[in-house]
Amino acid sequence: MPRAIISPSVLASDFGQLTAECKRMIRGGAEWLHMGAPILSSVSKGVPGIFMDCHMMVAQPEKWVNDIADAGGALYCFHIEATSDPVSIINAIHERKMKAGVAISPDTPSSAISDEVGELADMLLVMTVYPGRGGQNFLERCVPKVSELRARFPEKDIEVDGGVGPKNIDVCADAGSNVIVAGTAIFGAPQPDQVIATLKSTVNAAQAKIASNQ
Ligand SMILES: O=C(CO)[C@@H](O)[C@H](O)COP(=O)(O)O
């Protein structure tokens, strides 16, 4: 049964503005940090051992695999819409000893992830906002794609990303998502640790319920 993983989202442009409290939280509470490529090497020095989930919202994702691996990335997530050969990219990511994530944008059906790609990937990402910036509104219409992918890939990590927080974590968790990316909901909260704890406990409870029904 997949466990709850909370991944605070830090875009390349935002890291410098994080408060000391948020940086402490990252060092203390977060397991994964979801971020833009340019800040990877500085973060890996400042937060030793953090698992860096790199969501690559780029064209030609095959071009950046080595750069991200060299900078300390642990998971390289690319968009299925950005390539005609996802299998080769996944193989290249694995050759650099990173986990491979495959993302679908709001207008892309879950069927765009073939059985072959879904089995090869380590994580599947269902975007619940359009890629580009933090702080957008959650698109609940994307949630059924989480259920569809969870039914096809019961053991995979399935991530949601965009506008996720305590107000909508239930629908994401009940659909089967176990990796939660949250930027505004965490960094905008007076007590980020509490938000992380809420997200994690909700997902763990939902995962236990899903496992008992299998
Ligand atoms: O990749 C993206 C947006 O392009 C997301 O990671 C957002 O940055 C998440 O931020 P919130 O929507 O949780 O504020």
Side-chain angles (χ1 to χ4, degrees):
M1 178 181 74
R3 65 187 176 86
I5 295 165
I6 308 304
S7 179
S9 174
V10 180
L11 294 181
S13 54
D14 300 343
F15 192 72
Q17 283 73 47
L18 287 187
T19 63
E21 165 61 16
C22 284
K23 287 177 182 171
R24 180 203 63 75
M25 179 271 298
I26 288 173
R27 291 185 180 91
E31 291 154 305
W32 289 14
L33 197 56
H34 178 267
M35 62 179 70
I39 57 176
L40 280 174
S41 46
S42 54
V43 171
S44 62
K45 292 189 188 77
V47 190
I50 192 77
F51 182 99
M52 294 194 285
D53 163 0
C54 305
H55 176 198
M56 301 301 287
M57 296 173 272
V58 296
Q60 298 177 294
E62 64 280 4
K63 277 177 62 175
W64 309 102
V65 173
N66 287 322
D67 288 0
I68 294 295
D70 293 343
L75 186 148
Y76 188 102
C77 185
F78 65 94
H79 275 257
I80 198 83
E81 302 91 349
T83 178
S84 58
D85 188 0
V87 170
S88 297
I89 297 178
I90 293 171
N91 291 336
I93 292 165
H94 285 161
E95 277 164 26
R96 289 306 312 266
K97 307 295 184 236
M98 292 187 289
K99 285 181 179 282
V102 178
I104 50 175
S105 287
D107 296 338
T108 304
S110 63
S111 55
I113 295 178
S114 68
D115 289 346
E116 180 186 21
V117 168
E119 290 301 342
L120 266 179
D122 303 288
M123 186 185 79
L124 306 173
L125 165 54
V126 175
M127 290 298 291
T128 47
V129 295
Y130 286 94
R133 59 175 176 78
Q136 300 175 65
N137 292 329
F138 178 76
L139 298 174
E140 189 156 351
R141 63 180 170 85
C142 298
V143 174
K145 294 192 276 186
V146 174
S147 309
E148 291 158 9
L149 290 172
R150 179 52 75 204
R152 290 172 60 196
F153 308 105
E155 295 307 314
K156 290 290 171 186
D157 282 335
I158 298 181
E159 183 175 73
V160 289
D161 176 357
V164 179
K167 289 188 184 125
N168 52 44
I169 185 62
D170 287 302
V171 288
C172 296
D174 292 346
S177 177
N178 71 298
V179 184
I180 309 299
V181 173
T184 305
I186 291 175
F187 294 113
Q191 293 172 301
D193 307 56
Q194 280 195 5
V195 173
I196 288 180
T198 300
L199 300 180
K200 196 175 281 188
S201 61
T202 305
V203 170
N204 280 331
Q207 285 293 315
K209 197 171 154 193
I210 291 168
S212 67
N213 292 338
Q214 277 171 345

